[in-house]
Amino acid sequence: MASRSLRGLGGNRGGGGGGGRKSLSARNAAVERRNLITVCRFSVKTLIDRSCFETIDDSSPEFNNFAAILEQILSHRLKGQVTWFGYESPRSFWDYIRVACRKVSQNCICSIENMENVSSSRAKGRAWIRVALMEKHLSEYISTALRDFKTTRRFYEDGAIVLGEEANMLAGMLLGLNAIDFSFCLKGEGLDGNFPAVIDYTPYLKFTQSSDSISSDEEELRTLGSSGSESSTPENVGPPFIMDENSWFNKCKRVKQKYQLTLEQKGYLEELLRLRENQLSESVAQNKILLQRIEDSDLAHKLEKEQLEYIIVELQDQLTVLKNNDLRSRQELTAHLTNQWPSPGALDVNAVALDTLLYRKHNKQWYEKSCQSLDQLSAEVSLSQTSLDPGQSQGDGKQDTLNLISEGKEDTPSLLGLCGSLTSVASYKSLTSLKSNDYLASPTTEMTSPGLTPS
């Protein structure tokens, strides 16, 4: 029973140990993130304070410490690069910056990629930090990279600083560096990517004793002094006064340090306020320009609308005038055609007169041709009869010739049907076409009498 109970306790310890390890790792990760952010804030303050007295360059220990801290923050829980063989090789934060900061306007990514003296990825990342500080765009680069959350998740593991709430604090802290003029040499030893960056914590590890602690130490010293001496003599009163003078000196020193710290914070806040005022003034100026553009566009739109309305009204008036002119021209054309067209009675009389003239003309031509053919025929008959009976043939030939001539003078009723009915407009048009073409019935084809053909 005792062994079973011990085993059970051991099992519980094992289960609780797993949860304890998880909580311990989470605590360590949180402490690591908080330490890096705090140290970064201190390094930014020291840089701002140092820039008031001298120019910040590669030889400045404050800058070297800040560059190491920023490199550690951007490399915190950075994923490795998987090779073809399935192994994961370490990568530098430059691989993330190169992809996430492409959207920054007028960025320096391509310039750093094309640098000849910088070959490794870590060295390119360090060169990017220096160039971004000289351009005063480091905060803009970091803010743009953090907004690209999809790319950030692809390059970093869970628990990274750039994926937590500390990332927004980082972008705000780096904004104060835009007021500093940096001067770096991009060919120095600081770009060597063979060695990792190391943070120096000693400038920020200053212990300041509180006033309560000082007073307690003085009481303790008095107590020890009184217990060590057998009698309370006036000589033993000296050390407490000396300690009081030291305490006043320490208090004055602490007040001076607080004043310097407050002065540094005031300078930082004033610089930040000046930057914000410049941004606000630029925004107000841009807003005024946009409002002016909107007013100009509205005015131009109104003028264009009025012009279009005027054009539409003018076109409508012109269309109305054209419609009226067209209607008037139609009426005039109808009246003109009605006045010039002859009446049916006059049309029949004119048609009959024209038919008579045409008939007489063609009848005369046919008569002349018939006389010629009859003369020839009579000559032939007379010749033939004279050969047989000269006396009788001459009398008969003359009589036949007179009969034929009298028959040719008679009107043939079949010719009246060639003119058609002249009581309609269609007949008049057909007669006009016949007149224009001189196409009437030939007397030799339709009006030839069977008696005229020689036997």
Side-chain angles (χ1 to χ4, degrees):
M1 295 294 292
S3 61
R4 290 179 181 176
S5 63
L6 290 174
R7 289 175 185 174
L9 290 173
N12 292 332
R13 288 194 192 98
R21 283 193 295 272
K22 291 181 180 179
S23 61
L24 183 61
S25 62
R27 184 253 177 194
N28 292 336
V31 170
E32 185 179 5
R33 293 196 300 270
R34 188 166 59 251
N35 289 340
L36 288 174
I37 292 297
T38 304
V39 173
C40 183
R41 183 168 60 252
F42 288 157
S43 66
V44 170
K45 291 181 179 180
T46 55
L47 274 175
I48 294 174
D49 183 49
R50 179 62 64 180
S51 66
C52 298
F53 305 101
E54 61 183 13
T55 304
I56 305 298
D57 54 7
D58 294 290
S59 61
S60 176
E62 289 82 6
F63 166 72
N64 292 326
N65 211 20
F66 167 76
I69 293 169
L70 185 60
E71 186 174 345
Q72 289 287 339
I73 290 174
L74 294 177
S75 300
H76 183 250
R77 300 186 69 83
L78 183 65
K79 292 181 181 180
Q81 186 175 5
V82 180
T83 61
W84 288 95
F85 302 100
Y87 298 103
E88 186 174 353
S89 61
R91 61 168 53 169
S92 173
F93 69 93
W94 168 248
D95 299 331
Y96 164 68
I97 293 297
R98 181 181 57 188
V99 177
C101 295
R102 290 284 184 182
K103 298 179 181 179
V104 179
S105 60
Q106 298 179 359
N107 60 76
C108 60
I109 304 299
C110 296
S111 300
I112 294 174
E113 286 284 350
N114 298 327
M115 292 178 66
E116 297 179 356
N117 61 322
V118 179
S119 58
S120 63
S121 179
R122 182 181 294 173
K124 290 180 180 179
R126 293 174 179 175
W128 168 76
I129 292 175
R130 287 161 170 78
V131 174
L133 286 173
M134 287 190 291
E135 291 180 349
K136 303 181 185 299
H137 289 163
L138 181 61
S139 177
E140 184 180 358
Y141 278 110
I142 297 298
S143 301
T144 305
L146 294 178
R147 283 196 297 268
D148 192 357
F149 189 73
K150 184 177 180 180
T151 303
T152 307
R153 291 285 301 176
R154 183 160 58 92
F155 278 89
Y156 288 92
E157 298 177 356
D158 294 334
I161 295 177
V162 295
L163 292 176
E165 298 178 356
E166 298 87 355
N168 298 325
M169 298 172 58
L170 177 64
M173 285 187 295
L174 297 178
L175 189 62
L177 298 177
N178 295 340
I180 303 176
D181 295 329
F182 295 92
S183 178
F184 302 114
C185 179
L186 300 180
K187 297 181 180 180
E189 297 179 355
L191 299 180
D192 188 8
N194 297 326
F195 302 98
V198 180
I199 303 174
D200 184 12
Y201 292 96
T202 54
Y204 318 113
L205 298 178
K206 293 181 180 179
F207 175 72
T208 303
Q209 190 177 8
S210 62
S211 59
D212 296 336
S213 176
I214 292 174
S215 61
S216 63
D217 289 343
E218 290 174 354
E219 292 293 335
E220 188 176 352
L221 288 173
R222 289 193 187 96
T223 304
L224 290 175
S226 61
S227 63
S229 60
E230 295 179 356
S231 61
S232 175
T233 59
E235 289 89 3
N236 295 330
V237 183
F241 286 100
I242 297 173
M243 295 301 296
D244 289 340
E245 290 178 359
N246 291 331
S247 65
W248 281 108
F249 178 76
N250 292 331
K251 287 182 179 179
C252 180
K253 189 176 181 179
R254 287 195 300 272
V255 170
K256 186 177 180 179
Q257 290 177 354
K258 288 182 179 179
Y259 174 74
Q260 290 180 353
L261 182 61
T262 305
L263 188 63
E264 291 176 359
Q265 292 179 352
K266 178 186 176 183
Y268 172 72
L269 292 176
E270 287 178 352
E271 184 64 29
L272 190 61
L273 179 61
R274 185 164 59 253
L275 180 63
R276 289 288 187 267
E277 287 178 352
N278 293 333
Q279 293 179 352
L280 181 61
S281 61
E282 291 178 359
S283 300
V284 170
Q286 291 180 359
N287 189 18
K288 289 182 180 178
I289 294 172
L290 291 176
L291 290 175
Q292 185 65 31
R293 288 180 180 176
I294 291 173
E295 291 178 359
D296 294 341
S297 62
D298 291 340
L299 182 60
H301 178 68
K302 289 180 180 178
L303 292 176
E304 186 178 359
K305 185 177 179 181
E306 291 177 357
Q307 291 178 358
L308 290 176
E309 290 178 353
Y310 177 75
I311 291 172
I312 290 172
V313 172
E314 187 176 357
L315 290 175
Q316 288 178 352
D317 294 339
Q318 293 180 2
L319 184 61
T320 304
V321 171
L322 290 175
K323 286 183 177 179
N324 295 332
N325 293 335
D326 182 65
L327 181 60
R328 191 180 298 108
S329 62
R330 287 176 180 272
Q331 293 175 355
E332 291 177 357
L333 181 61
T334 304
H336 180 69
L337 293 177
T338 305
N339 294 331
Q340 284 193 352
W341 195 261
S343 61
L347 183 63
D348 292 341
V349 172
N350 294 333
V352 171
L354 181 61
D355 186 15
T356 306
L357 291 175
L358 291 175
Y359 174 73
R360 289 180 178 179
K361 178 180 179 182
H362 289 281
N363 192 15
K364 183 178 181 182
Q365 294 177 357
W366 176 78
Y367 176 74
E368 292 176 354
K369 292 179 181 180
S370 300
C371 291
Q372 293 177 0
S373 60
L374 288 176
D375 292 339
Q376 294 176 0
L377 181 61
S378 61
E380 292 177 359
V381 170
S382 61
L383 290 175
S384 59
Q385 288 183 356
T386 51
S387 59
L388 296 176
D389 190 2
Q392 186 179 359
S393 62
Q394 290 180 358
D396 295 336
K398 291 181 179 180
Q399 188 66 31
D400 293 335
T401 302
L402 293 175
N403 293 332
L404 288 174
I405 291 172
S406 62
E407 290 177 359
K409 289 182 179 180
E410 292 179 358
D411 294 333
T412 305
S414 60
L415 294 178
L416 296 176
L418 294 176
C419 297
S421 178
L422 299 178
T423 59
S424 63
V425 178
S427 301
Y428 179 74
K429 289 182 179 180
S430 62
L431 182 60
T432 307
S433 62
L434 290 174
K435 179 181 178 181
S436 61
N437 295 328
D438 289 333
Y439 184 79
L440 290 174
S442 177
T444 57
T445 57
E446 295 183 2
M447 298 177 62
T448 305
S449 178
L452 300 176
T453 55
S455 56

